[in-house]
Amino acid sequence: LSILLSLLVPAHATRSPDCGGILTPSGLSYCKSGPRMSHAASREGRQQQLSVHRNQVTSVTVAELTLTLIPDAGLRLSIDVDLGITPAPSTTKVMRLSILSDLHVEMNPEGNLEMVTSACKTSMEEMQSTEEMESKSSSSDVEKDINVDKICLEVSKLLLLPNEQLMSLTAQFPVTPSCQVQYLPLAAPMFSEQGITISLQTTFQVVGMAIPLPVSPVPFSMPEPATSSPSHLTLAFSEHFYTSLFFALEMAGAFNMTIPVSRASEGNNPPLPRQMGSLFQEDLPVTLQAVFRSTPRVVLEEGKAALKLFLTAHVGAGSPAFQNFLSVNVDMTAGLLLSVTDTRMMISAAGIEEVELSLAASDVGPVPAALLEELFLPTIRVEVPAQMNVVLSEGIFLPHISSFTYTDVNVVIHKDYVLVPCNLKLQVRPG
């Protein structure tokens, strides 16, 4: 399989998005409101005590921290820090240090998104003092002692945690023991008044090798963001995303099925036609070995998702030596149920809508279609979706960054794509 896959992978795979997300201004506000960034800013501020010689910094408090979207550019980080300073015994000053820094997101050579600082400026003003007489030069003296210019260099340290989290976006997540999924950004995010839009390409690895996914018949682009969304984040997944998932699972052999044949209403095996029974000297249980003869396909319509399956069921008997005497083509359509738990999309096949059986090959002569349906249709209708749902039961990890999970989730199915508006929840971990 590895050798086959290596031959199939094109030298320069076409990179096009099949999913993505829009972080809204309310989501951005939630991300910055967590205690981590303010704590980091206070920590960096305390480290500035090392550059204070004549004045002693007794406290560092982040009074305000804001992140503002700058359309077509990036973000603006504004931090107001109150410094408690003791320039002499029994005297105390509170100085307001204001830092304004522009941020933008770029792709580094490793293909990860990285937030970097650009223009940065600072200012200092005195808030209050216990000294009765204060010279006009005192603020500039403190500013000189604290070495405000170096503060801008320290701002970049505040981005270490956000950048670690951005790197986690491209982590590999397991789908099955032999199949992994990865989401790769195709370009730096787009910034607009509606939020931050990022386009992603889904890739799958089977036994450690990237597999060539089927080509999307329609190029996918992120839907236009709503003018005002109450959700923190809206994820979008193309029809091709789901077809690629089922293709990868098929390539990994996850959907190969062995199905014992039994009547839905009885526990006994159905009687074999005379020409089949004559192949064996004794009664043997009949089994189906089902494999895909064509890639499963997901079809999205307004409010509805369907899964089209194209199988060949080899009918035979004997164990461990399986003797195939009949092959049946099975075309079936099942409804798909989609939901989200934490950071996984849960997918299940439910409600067989159509099933068509036709004879593909036979060692026992012609078999009427009505007899095929009587023998195998009840079992196929029940067992095929049931065995697929066992594979799908763990769900598939959605694009996400570490420490955050999804809550208040809606799954909205449109023609050709699925939208998942949701809120973010920071997972606070000890330490």
Side-chain angles (χ1 to χ4, degrees), residues 118-193:
S118 50
C120 175
K121 61 181 180 179
T122 64
S123 62
M124 180 90 73
E125 65 175 326
E126 182 176 324
M127 303 295 290
Q128 63 186 41
S129 173
T130 59
E131 292 181 340
E132 294 182 0
M133 298 294 293
E134 189 67 36
S135 68
K136 293 183 180 180
S137 63
S138 60
S139 291
S140 61
D141 289 343
V142 173
E143 188 170 328
K144 181 179 179 182
D145 281 345
I146 294 181
N147 200 345
V148 172
D149 291 338
K150 292 184 65 175
I151 296 286
C152 285
L153 297 177
E154 300 297 328
V155 170
S156 61
K157 295 183 180 179
L158 298 181
L159 304 180
L160 291 176
L161 177 62
N163 281 333
E164 286 178 7
Q165 293 174 328
L166 282 175
M167 285 182 62
S168 69
L169 178 67
T170 59
Q172 289 188 3
F173 303 109
V175 182
T176 68
S178 63
C179 180
Q180 290 79 39
V181 63
Q182 188 175 23
Y183 301 99
L184 301 177
L186 296 179
M190 302 294 292
F191 293 84
S192 68
E193 293 180 357

Side-chain angles (χ1 to χ4, degrees), residues 63-77:
E64 188 174 3
L65 187 152
T66 59
L67 273 175
T68 307
L69 274 171
I70 308 299
D72 303 318
L75 302 170
R76 181 158 292 158
L77 172 65

Side-chain angles (χ1 to χ4, degrees), residues 22 192 194 197 220-229 234 236 417 419:
I22 304 171
S192 68
Q194 286 75 37
T197 302
F220 177 70
S221 59
M222 287 292 297
E224 287 293 324
T227 53
S228 60
S229 172
T234 299
Y417 67 94
L419 287 183

Side-chain angles (χ1 to χ4, degrees), residues 270-281 283 325 363-368 371 375:
L272 292 173
R274 182 182 310 165
Q275 65 267 37
M276 299 184 194
S278 63
L279 294 174
F280 307 99
Q281 296 180 355
D283 290 337
F325 55 81
D363 292 339
V364 292
V367 181
L371 181 57
L375 290 172

